[in-house]
Amino acid sequence: MVEGNKRDQTFLKISELWKSFGNFVALQDISLEVHEGEFVCFLGPSGCGKTTLLRAIAGLDVQSRGEIEQGARDISSLPPAERDYGIVFQSYALFPNLSINKNIAYGLENAGQSKATINARVEELLSLVGLPDQGKKYPAQLSGGQQQRIALARAIATEPGLLLLDEPLSALDAKVRVSLRHQIKELQRKLGVTTIMVTHDQEEALSMADRIVVMNQGVIEQIGTPIEIYRDPKTLFVADFIGEMNQISATVSSHNTISFGTQLIECIPHTFEPNAQVIATVRPEDMIPQSESDRSSAVSDNSAAHENALEVVINDMEFLGSYWLATLTSSETGDATLNANFSMNAVRRMDLEIGKSLLIGIPADRLKVFLRSESVH
């Protein structure tokens, strides 16, 4: 395990990194630090530059300009063989003609270690990845999930300082993917190895990462913990890309209020000028159905809660097991269609159904606004 004080030490530092392919700029002025023992995910849509950044760190695609330091050593111009990392690809990249034992031992043999040391290390790693009896088999005899675990064992065999994972789970089916991501995270914690994983799967990043680097069109949009990225997106792109998000056109009234049509709504404080055209964002799980008793209670308590609400009509309801996904419309939001997640209890208690009108509460601390010019649609 990584000691607590080491978590604050910078292990990998990237400074003003650019990468161009001809006239195409794949990475623009990338700067970030990764702490020792940290698990960081590069997250973004296809073509955002996340894999290019990983390959620059590995020396597989050398940056056009900028610096990379690992463990206080400048590795910017070093070839891949002289950099201290292990890498796992989406395609496993195991040697099909070699046994599992030989695949894992490959890097150790190249390092000139003794046969006894190699055998002990291979046995240790097979046990570590939960495949102690598979050493004599060949890759084709293993499932995709098992092959990926062997690829992981091979990557960490030489005890590299940095582990790079290039979409290692995307070729697997959903059930295996969920299981393996927990195994990888548990293994990373146990070993304390600094790890960077590229993924386009937000659920994967949210569940595995200590911090997430959200990328778009070659730039970093935001860096933060999973909770920070999800709860406090800094740009409309991040708000839209991470999780489900309602987007509603609005007009600024004051530093902490906006208007939907004639409805004045409180929101998270912002710095936009009055009358500015903005996009208000709120997640489906933060849309709260209010019953008559909820409204009566708010009025009797002289609460403003009932004012931060919209009158809506339920257009559709989809049962998703643990909750209902409701599609809503409101005369105040024009053509905007809103999604809300209603609990089973709320649907039963309030007798919610298609065609019913109700009041939806929107907590002010869950309503964030962005300039409409940022719109990603």
Side-chain angles (χ1 to χ4, degrees):
M1 293 292 291
V2 178
E3 297 174 9
N5 60 349
K6 287 187 177 180
R7 277 288 182 147
D8 297 327
Q9 297 178 11
T10 298
F11 181 74
L12 184 73
K13 183 178 181 180
I14 300 171
S15 304
E16 300 176 353
L17 187 142
W18 292 69
K19 176 62 181 178
S20 299
F21 297 95
N23 293 327
F24 174 69
V25 180
L27 296 172
Q28 304 177 46
D29 199 19
I30 300 293
S31 295
L32 68 96
E33 296 183 359
V34 177
H35 303 145
E36 187 169 350
E38 191 174 27
F39 195 121
V40 170
C41 278
F42 294 167
L43 174 66
S46 297
C48 71
K50 56 189 185 296
T51 294
T52 301
L53 180 55
L54 187 86
R55 291 177 63 84
I57 294 169
L60 301 173
D61 279 328
V62 179
Q63 68 278 5
S64 303
R65 65 176 186 266
E67 297 181 348
I68 305 173
E69 293 181 14
Q70 181 179 334
R73 181 173 71 126
D74 189 342
I75 64 170
S76 305
S77 58
L78 292 181
E82 294 182 27
R83 303 193 187 198
D84 179 23
Y85 69 86
I87 190 165
V88 178
F89 298 101
Q90 173 185 341
S91 59
Y92 320 140
L94 298 176
F95 301 114
N97 60 323
L98 298 181
S99 69
I100 297 306
N101 283 337
K102 285 290 188 180
N103 264 281
I104 297 175
Y106 185 80
L108 299 170
E109 291 174 346
N110 287 342
Q113 296 192 17
S114 69
K115 187 173 182 179
T117 300
I118 291 173
N119 289 340
R121 179 62 172 161
V122 169
E123 186 176 333
E124 176 192 5
L125 288 166
L126 282 171
S127 178
L128 195 62
V129 297
L131 298 170
D133 303 319
Q134 307 297 315
K136 294 182 180 179
K137 292 184 178 180
Y138 286 81
Q141 296 174 284
L142 302 184
S143 68
Q146 289 174 324
Q147 289 186 57
Q148 197 58 292
R149 279 188 275 168
I150 296 303
L152 185 62
R154 185 178 63 182
I156 61 177
T158 57
E159 300 183 273
L162 181 64
L163 179 61
L164 303 177
L165 308 175
D166 187 8
E167 303 219 38
L169 308 179
S170 59
L172 305 172
D173 64 55
K175 190 173 182 180
V176 174
R177 197 161 61 236
V178 170
S179 174
L180 194 52
R181 76 188 185 200
H182 290 302
Q183 293 177 39
I184 290 175
K185 182 59 180 176
E186 185 177 330
L187 182 62
Q188 188 268 340
R189 284 174 176 160
K190 185 174 183 178
L191 297 175
V193 60
T194 306
T195 301
I196 296 175
M197 184 173 81
V198 163
T199 182
H200 64 273
D201 187 322
Q202 54 182 275
E203 184 177 298
E204 210 165 85
L206 291 169
S207 66
M208 296 178 73
D210 295 317
R211 284 191 303 153
I212 298 172
V213 178
V214 184
M215 299 183 64
N216 181 38
Q217 297 182 341
V219 301
I220 293 175
E221 293 270 345
Q222 186 173 349
I223 302 173
T225 66
I227 292 176
E228 288 169 345
I229 294 291
Y230 188 83
R231 276 301 183 192
D232 188 23
K234 299 302 183 186
T235 68
L236 188 56
F237 171 82
V238 176
D240 180 73
F241 185 74
I242 304 296
E244 298 297 323
M245 185 69 83
N246 291 302
Q247 299 186 29
I248 313 166
S249 295
T251 302
V252 170
S253 298
S254 71
H255 79 285
N256 68 341
T257 59
I258 55 175
S259 61
F260 300 145
T262 61
Q263 181 76 50
L264 192 66
I265 298 286
E266 290 185 10
C267 60
I268 295 172
H270 53 79
T271 58
F272 305 132
E273 295 294 327
N275 297 318
Q277 299 302 297
V278 295
I279 299 292
T281 60
V282 60
R283 296 201 180 276
E285 65 266 27
D286 293 326
M287 306 277 279
I288 305 170
Q290 294 185 352
S291 65
E292 290 295 336
S293 59
D294 292 333
R295 282 180 267 181
S296 299
S297 176
V299 172
S300 63
D301 292 340
N302 197 27
S303 167
H306 66 288
E307 296 177 358
N308 228 53
L310 282 175
E311 190 77 36
V312 300
V313 175
I314 301 176
N315 281 359
D316 194 16
M317 294 182 69
E318 182 180 0
F319 180 59
L320 296 177
S322 58
Y323 66 94
W324 286 85
L325 173 62
T327 303
L328 316 172
T329 55
S330 170
S331 60
E332 298 290 356
T333 59
D335 296 330
T337 298
L338 309 178
N339 291 324
N341 295 345
F342 293 158
S343 70
M344 297 288 290
N345 288 337
V347 170
R348 183 171 54 251
R349 177 172 56 89
M350 299 176 61
D351 193 25
L352 299 180
E353 59 184 3
I354 295 174
K356 185 167 185 173
S357 297
L358 74 156
L359 204 63
I360 288 288
I362 304 177
D365 62 352
R366 291 290 180 261
L367 189 65
K368 187 162 188 173
V369 298
F370 301 91
L371 281 178
R372 193 175 298 180
S373 59
E374 291 185 51
S375 181
V376 293
H377 293 307

